[in-house]
């Protein structure tokens, strides 16, 4: 099987996770991950990073109300 | 492993934007718009429509808006403004700029109602317009001092191994994302990313716009979006290590 370095794997990790790599390349990635605990840790942490971005602003989504001042400013700008 | 450097089988989303050149020379709905509004609308057109169409409630709201009904406009502002403000705040990082962007977005939306064809929900359409308004504000404001993205990217030994491998964060890291305090620290880390990379990260991983759409919005190539996104994710992983690491 073709060899892959940690550098190459990490460079293409987004493509790997997005399912954007051809099957034969995925097999090479999977083989590397089966023998490299450092890259497994990197991959897990990378996945957690994506999760962190998604949840970082979660409280905002429900909590933001439009301040009355802004509502009035928008309504006033309607006729301009 | 050379083949993957330019792997030809890279899968796209299949999305094809209509592009500026397909706009008619004179667009009735653009009559009377300022230059910035026209650009903002044209860029909005690059965003693909979703499969969700308007509810009957939204349809009647749009009809009222088109007839110039002031009450319908107020309902729209109150109903959709909160979510739009959230999006603008996420992209701009401060409340004042976000409020300006939302105001700009509503003015643009009202002026361009004739061009809204109902192929997406009203909420999605307004979302696109406020993203555009926020991006225009980002472009116009003064750049702050930023650290280079390179400082946060992983480094490697000559043989390609990671120079400074870090331990796996573990399940507790993901669980801690439910705490407000952790989420605040994550937001601070995101804010430390250079703006060019932070914007791509937020549009792709938070707003969940596709690569082609983000390329159109930022007027950069699809490859540039992919490179910036991957670097932003890697840099954020580095920045999060003290927050989420064991």
């Amino acid at each position: 099987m073709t060899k892959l370095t940690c550098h190459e794997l990490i460079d293409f990790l987004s493509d790997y996770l997005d399912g954007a790599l051809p099957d034969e390349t995925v097999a090479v990635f999977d083989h590397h991950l089966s023998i490299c605990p450092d890259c497994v840790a990197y991959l897990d942490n990378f996945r957690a990073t994506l999760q962190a971005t998604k949840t970082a602003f979660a409280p905002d989504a429900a909590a933001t109300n439009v301040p009355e001042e802004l509502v009035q400013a928008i309504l006033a700008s309607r006729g301009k | 492993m050379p083949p993957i450097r330019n792997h030809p089988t890279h899968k796209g989303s299949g999305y094809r934007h209509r592009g500026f050149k397909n706009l008619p020379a004179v667009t009735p709905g653009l009559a009377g718009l300022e230059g910035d509004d026209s650009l903002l609308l044209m860029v909005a057109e690059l965003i693909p429509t979703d499969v969700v169409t308007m509810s009957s409630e939204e349809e009647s709201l749009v009809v009222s808006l088109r007839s110039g009904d002031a009450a319908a406009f107020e309902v729209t502002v109150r109903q959709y403004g909160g979510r739009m403000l959230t999006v603008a705040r996420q992209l701009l990082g401060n409340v004042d700029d976000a409020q300006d962007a939302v105001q700009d977005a509503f003015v643009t939306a009202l002026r361009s109602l004739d061009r809204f064809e109902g192929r997406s929900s009203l909420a999605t359409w307004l979302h696109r317009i406020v993203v555009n308004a926020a991006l225009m504000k980002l472009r116009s404001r003064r750049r702050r001092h930023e650290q280079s993205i390179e400082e946060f990217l992983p480094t490697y030994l000559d043989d390609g191994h990671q120079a400074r491998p870090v331990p796996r964060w573990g399940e507790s890291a993901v669980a801690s994302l439910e705490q407000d305090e952790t989420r605040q620290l994550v937001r601070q880390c995101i804010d430390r990313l250079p703006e060019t990379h932070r914007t791509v990260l937020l549009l792709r991983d938070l707003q969940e716009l596709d690569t082609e759409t983000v390329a159109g919005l930022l007027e950069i190539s699809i490859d540039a979006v992919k490179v910036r996104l991957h670097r932003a994710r890697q840099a954020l992983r580095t920045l999060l290590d003290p927050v989420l690491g064991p």
Side-chain angles (χ1 to χ4, degrees):
Chain A
M1 178 163 290
T2 313
K3 282 203 168 182
L4 182 76
T5 66
C6 302
H7 192 168
E8 287 170 323
L9 181 134
I10 290 172
D11 272 356
F12 286 87
L13 209 49
S14 285
D15 286 334
Y16 175 73
L17 291 177
D18 290 345
L21 295 177
D23 291 346
E24 58 269 32
T25 306
V26 170
V28 176
F29 270 57
D30 289 342
H31 175 70
H32 181 95
L33 289 167
S34 72
I35 57 171
C36 181
D38 288 346
C39 281
V40 171
Y42 194 98
L43 174 63
D44 281 351
N45 295 349
F46 195 83
R47 280 198 174 111
T49 299
L50 304 187
Q51 179 73 20
T53 303
K54 285 191 200 316
T55 56
F57 297 89
D60 272 0
T64 305
N65 291 314
V66 199
E68 190 56 32
E69 210 173 82
L70 177 59
V71 172
Q72 294 309 322
I74 294 168
L75 296 180
S77 65
R78 176 174 166 268
K80 290 179 185 171
Chain B
M1 199 186 79
I4 61 169
R5 283 280 166 206
N6 293 302
H7 52 82
T9 55
H10 202 101
K11 294 172 189 168
S13 68
Y15 166 72
R16 287 181 299 148
H17 67 67
R18 285 171 284 166
F20 294 159
K21 64 183 179 185
N22 294 333
L23 281 177
V26 178
T27 311
L30 291 176
L33 293 188
E34 301 296 325
D36 279 358
D37 285 339
S38 299
L39 176 63
L40 199 145
L41 281 171
M42 287 196 287
V43 174
E45 289 219 330
L46 288 169
I47 302 178
T49 52
D50 54 21
V51 292
V52 179
T53 52
M54 285 196 292
S55 64
S56 56
E57 185 190 336
E58 281 191 333
E59 277 179 17
S60 59
L61 192 56
V62 170
V63 169
S64 300
L65 286 170
R66 282 186 174 142
S67 71
D69 185 337
F73 184 56
E74 184 169 347
V75 167
T76 307
V77 172
R78 292 188 186 281
Q79 189 165 330
Y80 299 99
R83 178 60 191 150
M84 291 166 72
L85 189 57
T86 298
V87 171
R89 259 176 52 188
Q90 290 167 356
L91 289 170
L92 291 163
N94 81 68
V95 175
D96 288 344
D97 282 353
Q99 293 197 359
D100 284 351
V102 171
Q103 188 167 350
D104 291 348
F106 271 113
V107 170
T108 303
L110 202 58
R111 287 176 176 173
S112 60
L113 270 170
D114 288 346
R115 294 168 56 78
F116 177 54
E117 296 173 3
R119 287 182 297 157
S120 67
S121 70
L122 182 60
T124 301
W125 186 66
L126 290 171
H127 175 257
R128 293 165 187 163
I129 292 178
V130 79
V131 166
N132 279 319
L135 291 178
M136 290 185 75
K137 192 154 277 298
L138 265 181
R139 286 185 191 125
S140 68
R141 78 183 180 187
R142 204 170 170 176
R143 298 288 288 271
R144 59 183 182 177
H145 174 72
E146 294 176 333
Q147 283 177 272
S148 164
I149 193 86
E150 303 288 341
E151 294 176 37
F152 307 122
L153 297 180
T155 52
Y156 302 94
L157 304 174
D158 289 343
D159 64 3
H161 280 90
Q162 296 182 56
R164 286 189 290 274
V166 297
R168 186 172 174 269
W169 296 340
E171 300 307 320
S172 61
V174 175
S176 73
L177 294 171
E178 291 178 15
Q179 297 165 11
D180 287 343
E181 188 186 350
T182 308
R183 286 200 286 238
Q184 188 181 349
L185 292 171
V186 174
R187 289 197 293 272
Q188 288 171 4
C189 290
I190 292 173
D191 203 44
R192 287 181 63 191
L193 296 172
E195 199 160 281
T196 49
H197 291 75
R198 178 177 163 274
T199 304
V200 170
L201 181 88
L202 293 177
L203 291 175
R204 286 283 287 113
D205 285 350
L206 187 67
Q207 301 299 324
E208 298 184 336
L209 299 176
D210 66 35
T211 303
E212 290 84 350
T213 300
V214 175
L217 284 167
L218 299 177
E219 299 176 35
I220 58 177
S221 70
I222 286 172
D223 283 345
V225 172
K226 289 177 179 171
V227 169
R228 284 188 198 178
L229 176 64
H230 187 55
R231 288 180 158 219
R233 288 169 169 177
Q234 290 181 93
L236 185 58
R237 189 213 60 87
T238 302
L239 288 165
L240 287 175
D241 198 45
V243 177
L244 299 178

